[in-house]
Amino acid sequence: MIRRTVNFLDSRTGAVPFLRKSLRYIFPDHWSFLLGEIAMYAFIVLVATGVYLTLFFEPSLAETTYTGSYKPLQGLAMSEAYRSAVELSFDIPSGLLMRQTHHWASNIFVAAILMHLLRVFFTGAFRKPREITWVIGLLMLFATLLEGYLGYSMIDDLLSGIGLAIGYGVALSLPVVGANLTLGLWGGPFPGDPAFESRMYVAHVFLLPILIGTLMAGHLALVASRHHAQFKATKRATERKLVGMPAFPAQVPRSLALMFATVAVLFLLGGLVQINPIWQWGPFEVSQGTNGAQPDWYLGWLIGSLRLVPGFDVTIGDYTLIPNPFWGGALFPLVVMAVLGAWPWLERRFGGVRGFHNILDRPRDVPGRTAFGFAFFTWVALIFLAGSADRATVFFGLDYESQVVFFRGAVIVAPIVAFFVTRRICRELKRGEEIGVDKERAEEEAEEEAQEAEREKEPAPA
Amino acid sequence: MTTSPDGEHDSHDIVAPGPQSPRSELAVAALLVAAAVSAIAFIVVYSLEKFSTQHELLGITLAASFAFVAAALLLFGERVLPSEEVAEDYPEAAAPMEQEEVAKVMEESTSGITRKRLLVGAGGTAGGAIGLAALTPALSMGPWIDVAPLYRTPWRPGRRLVDDKGKPYKAEEIEQETFYTAFPEGSSDRNLGASLVVVRVDPAALRLPPERAGWAPEGILAFSKICPHAACTVAIYQKPTYGPTQPGPALVCPCHYSTFDPAKGGEVLFGPAGRPLPQLPLTVDAGREIRAGGNFSDAIGPSWWGIEMEEPH
């Protein structure tokens, strides 16, 4: 039966040599290599649940009156978009499960990508020949952030309206072309043309998913082409020799198990843990704001950066060259992306390490990179934390303005401290190991000498 | 199992024999049956649609079916299928022969061309022009070039301030220590320039710029409700929280905490806003109703390259 199927396939597609290679493709074994897989499986859940949502969501700003089963909103004027999203949550069987699972999956998707990024950075997996894979991964991350932002912006509840207003402000702030670009995209001053809803929709359900899917395909194709990098787990693993589990029989069941487990966790979250209760925000009105509404966590770093910049616009006479939101909302993420994207080449240029790398570093083995990475991470994480300073005011009564002043200083000082402390720790760890190795070697030698001395004492057997 | 030094297996025995565990096989089957039961439970819960925890049950049953399959697969991979470490050479870093061939094909095919730069230039021109032509229809999306809409507001001298039900505000209704949202009578509130925050301060505490004398009759002040930082709505009117810089109640945007002093005509006290909150001049008519005395002091909304170039109109 197996042979007949294989023969059928081979004679009609010629794909069996490829299949043979795929079955015996080697996966080096380390838990941290699974983070990227989790992201991929979350993406599959996003596509599946997302398609379901499109069967019911109506991306239209046409005004209507809510008559569904959620009492507090009954009789309220709202857009078709918001009405259908609320209806999906209350009156479509399993609609809420799909919507919440979709939202949870997007959060886990970004989180898994970030963890994967940190793993790849700190182990040096981005080095030649894998620089393009790294850059594609970064592009995917930023496409994903935009995708998630559009996802909750389309619903036209109060939270999405505020998020869009900020996006509008940041877009306007782009030097020289900001106003033109913004008027074009929105179709007029905020809240823009009703067609803006359709524009977000086509980007969210078609353009960006296709972009992300294509990038993912390229990412995986490059990984497979150059094979996985590996840790020096055994003596056999070298820069030229890959050691690990074959795709089949060993890796495929494991990987599929991870996929099913990811799906299970996401549906469990979607069923049990409330996320973005859109019915609580109410419909969007330009003139209304809420206090305490928070965006999805992965936009927190941009909220923080927008809040920390001191208040000034750069002007030349009447011409406003750089409006304030540009620094935090546009330049900051661009800098983060540019530094990360250029890092493989920066390290080649200034780290002086060339050639191919299939063996991964342990973070302590490259103190310079690890220290920079941790300092950079500290910088972004502090700015992220600054984005929740108002929550600290609400929950702990900390004075808001003092916190902002503190963070303005901390984002400059803390990364520098983090750099030197991390570098020191790496060096000490390495030195400790070297001492350990020396000690072991000395002990072995001493033992051997002792044995030799013993042997000499004993009379040779006749 | 035989493994040659370079990791290639003997052709008669590619995969090492498995662990042979009938009990594990039984457990895998049991887990798969459990997955099927959970999946059917999901269908039943969905169809009955009568549980008070309907939504949670749907999530649990569906998640359970996937979780059981995950457990079955894990067990199947670890205990039933053989699992062995193998080794293989990394793929060659590059294919120098093919590189050479590709380069030669390109070089030799184009070596007969005498006007290479002309062709490259013409090709670039065609590509650029077609690219521009392809982008041109996108101009229909919005005004792009005409930025005049960004200066427009619905406020005109004499226009009454009304609440969200359309009822005109009277001067007596405006009290201190709180704020009111007002709209221009008979205008769509979807316009960014429409909504106002109205507050009353002690006239003795007013420190308006001299050219705005008379903009705040009886200490009643009106400002654009749209934050000039990033277009959120100014929705907090708070007591001083930062003593040294904040003399009285201030208008605050809850998005990035730009803080404005109403008594000083919307001056920025704290936060990222680069411009003051635009102020609307007010008058109180004979019927004690509040009316606009003109348009805003500055263009409303977030900053952009031309925001200071024209007055709002």
Side-chain angles (χ1 to χ4, degrees):
Chain A
M1 177 62 196
I2 290 180
R3 278 167 208 283
R4 267 176 57 193
T5 314
V6 171
N7 178 267
F8 178 89
L9 267 181
D10 199 24
S11 47
R12 282 155 187 86
T13 66
V16 164
F18 176 74
L19 193 62
R20 189 198 68 87
K21 268 180 125 176
S22 312
L23 280 179
R24 302 306 281 176
Y25 178 86
I26 293 177
F27 290 86
D29 199 18
H30 193 268
W31 65 268
S32 69
F33 296 171
L34 299 177
L35 294 165
E37 280 191 33
I38 293 177
M40 182 171 75
Y41 297 139
F43 182 70
I44 292 174
V45 172
L46 281 167
V47 172
T49 52
V51 168
Y52 186 81
L53 298 180
T54 62
L55 305 179
F56 305 97
F57 179 65
E58 298 174 33
S60 155
L61 293 186
E63 196 163 295
T64 179
T65 306
Y66 181 75
T67 56
S69 64
Y70 184 64
K71 289 214 169 63
L73 292 179
Q74 279 169 4
L76 227 58
M78 58 178 65
S79 65
E80 288 285 1
Y82 185 49
R83 184 201 56 75
S84 60
V86 174
E87 185 180 55
L88 185 58
S89 308
F90 286 104
D91 298 313
I92 308 261
S94 82
L96 182 60
L97 177 65
M98 294 299 171
R99 193 177 72 71
Q100 293 205 139
T101 303
H102 190 71
H103 204 130
W104 270 115
S106 71
N107 277 251
I108 303 278
F109 184 44
V110 183
I113 293 179
L114 276 180
M115 300 299 288
H116 177 60
L117 180 146
L118 291 175
R119 194 281 288 175
V120 167
F121 183 88
F122 283 110
T123 59
F126 55 80
R127 291 171 298 172
K128 189 178 174 183
R130 297 182 180 82
E131 303 100 316
I132 302 177
T133 322
W134 166 256
V135 171
I136 291 179
L138 279 174
L139 292 176
M140 224 187 312
L141 170 62
F142 279 78
T144 301
L145 295 181
L146 182 59
E147 173 73 345
Y149 169 71
L150 288 180
Y152 78 79
S153 293
M154 300 191 309
I155 296 174
D156 198 40
D157 58 357
L158 196 49
L159 180 65
S160 53
I162 295 171
L164 280 176
I166 299 173
Y168 173 79
V170 170
L172 272 183
S173 78
L174 296 175
V176 185
V177 295
N180 310 78
L181 200 67
T182 308
L183 284 174
L185 285 178
W186 262 268
F190 191 78
D193 193 284
F196 183 66
E197 176 79 5
S198 316
R199 295 172 193 177
M200 285 196 285
Y201 186 68
V202 74
H204 181 78
V205 307
F206 181 72
L207 298 177
L208 284 167
I210 285 190
L211 177 67
I212 293 169
T214 309
L215 290 171
M216 196 177 283
H219 195 75
L220 294 177
L222 286 179
V223 168
S225 154
R226 298 296 89 183
H227 287 48
H228 278 67
Q230 60 184 347
F231 282 111
K232 180 109 185 113
T234 64
K235 280 226 165 80
R236 281 168 78 198
T238 67
E239 292 284 6
R240 296 180 162 279
K241 179 81 72 187
L242 172 61
V243 178
M245 299 292 181
F248 196 81
Q251 189 66 28
V252 166
R254 278 189 196 183
S255 189
L256 283 179
L258 183 64
M259 176 171 89
F260 278 87
T262 307
V263 176
V265 168
L266 290 175
F267 273 118
L268 205 59
L269 286 169
L272 298 184
V273 189
Q274 189 182 69
I275 188 164
N276 195 17
I278 52 168
W279 51 89
Q280 285 180 9
W281 310 132
F284 173 58
E285 303 284 347
V286 180
S287 59
Q288 283 186 6
T290 64
N291 308 335
Q294 297 282 308
D296 275 359
W297 69 271
Y298 50 80
L299 293 176
W301 60 314
L302 301 180
I303 299 277
S305 62
L306 281 167
R307 284 179 180 174
L308 282 187
V309 177
F312 64 91
D313 284 354
V314 178
T315 53
I316 304 172
D318 276 350
Y319 189 83
T320 304
L321 187 64
I322 306 174
N324 188 285
F326 174 74
W327 305 106
L331 187 67
F332 170 58
L334 286 176
V335 164
V336 170
M337 187 172 173
V339 170
L340 290 176
W343 183 259
W345 289 274
L346 290 175
E347 197 176 294
R348 276 175 82 79
R349 177 78 181 73
F350 299 105
V353 188
R354 286 161 194 282
F356 281 80
H357 301 278
N358 289 321
I359 295 287
L360 295 172
D361 295 322
R362 294 176 313 161
R364 70 182 67 169
D365 292 333
V366 195
R369 176 205 300 144
T370 304
F372 173 83
F374 193 64
F376 196 68
F377 177 77
T378 304
W379 185 55
V380 177
L382 272 176
I383 292 173
F384 183 95
L385 207 60
S388 58
D390 57 332
R391 299 290 87 196
T393 303
V394 172
F395 293 128
F396 312 118
L398 294 174
D399 174 56
Y400 178 79
E401 282 89 346
S402 311
Q403 286 188 72
V404 168
V405 172
F406 165 78
F407 275 115
R408 280 176 185 164
V411 296
I412 296 167
V413 177
I416 298 174
V417 175
F419 180 87
F420 288 106
V421 170
T422 310
R423 199 171 63 171
R424 183 68 187 269
I425 290 174
C426 289
R427 287 178 176 170
E428 292 296 331
L429 280 174
K430 253 188 99 80
R431 194 168 305 155
E433 270 179 355
E434 277 159 15
I435 291 170
V437 169
D438 286 348
K439 205 173 148 196
E440 255 172 49
R441 200 176 296 149
E443 277 170 5
E444 268 173 31
E445 276 171 17
E447 206 166 295
E448 269 172 31
E449 271 171 30
Q451 281 176 357
E452 212 136 293
E454 204 117 308
R455 234 174 278 149
E456 273 169 24
K457 266 188 210 162
E458 281 174 24
Chain B
M1 186 196 83
T2 52
T3 308
S4 60
D6 64 343
E8 288 294 321
H9 296 283
D10 187 291
S11 60
H12 298 294
D13 188 9
I14 300 180
V15 179
Q20 291 274 341
S21 166
R23 278 181 60 195
S24 300
E25 289 173 29
L26 211 61
V28 170
L31 285 168
L32 289 174
V33 170
V37 170
S38 307
I40 291 166
F42 173 80
I43 300 171
V44 170
V45 171
Y46 177 94
S47 314
L48 292 179
E49 210 186 347
K50 65 172 196 183
F51 300 98
S52 59
T53 52
Q54 177 77 12
H55 163 70
E56 287 81 357
L57 280 177
L58 285 175
I60 290 170
T61 48
L62 197 57
S65 64
F66 282 100
F68 282 126
V69 175
L73 279 165
L74 207 59
L75 200 63
F76 183 64
E78 299 297 317
R79 295 282 170 77
V80 178
L81 284 184
S83 160
E84 46 162 358
E85 201 177 70
V86 291
E88 182 187 87
D89 283 342
Y90 271 105
E92 281 299 312
M97 300 280 283
E98 279 87 345
Q99 283 183 24
E100 181 61 25
E101 237 173 84
V102 168
K104 271 194 161 165
V105 168
M106 295 308 289
E107 277 168 11
E108 287 166 15
S109 336
T110 54
S111 61
I113 300 174
T114 49
R115 292 184 169 161
K116 210 172 270 180
R117 286 172 73 178
L118 177 73
L119 286 179
V120 168
T125 310
I130 290 175
L132 279 180
L135 285 176
T136 302
L139 287 177
S140 311
M141 285 171 68
W144 298 98
I145 309 298
D146 176 20
V147 293
L150 288 172
Y151 297 109
R152 241 166 252 154
T153 88
W155 290 102
R156 298 289 174 268
R159 199 149 199 181
R160 287 197 291 190
L161 276 64
V162 300
D163 66 12
D164 56 353
K165 308 264 185 327
K167 188 174 115 4
Y169 277 111
K170 293 208 165 183
E172 285 71 26
E173 292 164 15
I174 309 297
E175 292 178 18
Q176 289 196 18
E177 309 284 310
T178 184
F179 79 91
Y180 304 82
T181 301
F183 304 92
E185 186 175 31
S187 162
S188 155
D189 66 354
R190 297 279 297 172
N191 187 312
L192 209 54
S195 57
L196 299 177
V197 278
V198 181
V199 296
R200 184 197 280 269
V201 302
D202 182 357
L206 283 179
R207 299 284 180 276
L208 293 179
E211 69 275 13
R212 295 190 200 170
W215 280 30
E218 305 166 31
I220 301 173
L221 297 139
F223 298 92
S224 166
K225 202 179 179 185
I226 304 305
C227 179
H229 174 239
C232 288
T233 43
V234 172
I236 307 177
Y237 189 50
Q238 68 177 9
K239 299 256 161 39
T241 53
Y242 195 53
T245 57
Q246 215 172 294
L251 288 163
V252 182
C253 169
C255 283
H256 310 109
Y257 292 91
S258 292
T259 306
F260 308 93
D261 187 353
K264 287 190 178 167
E267 196 184 277
V268 181
L269 287 170
F270 188 82
R275 294 179 304 121
L277 204 54
Q279 188 183 354
L280 187 79
L282 296 180
T283 59
V284 176
D285 67 15
R288 301 295 291 155
E289 285 174 346
I290 308 171
R291 292 174 184 272
N295 214 321
F296 289 103
S297 55
D298 303 281
I300 61 99
S303 294
W304 52 282
W305 55 261
I307 190 109
E308 308 270 16
M309 288 180 178
E310 279 182 46
E311 297 291 311
H313 51 77

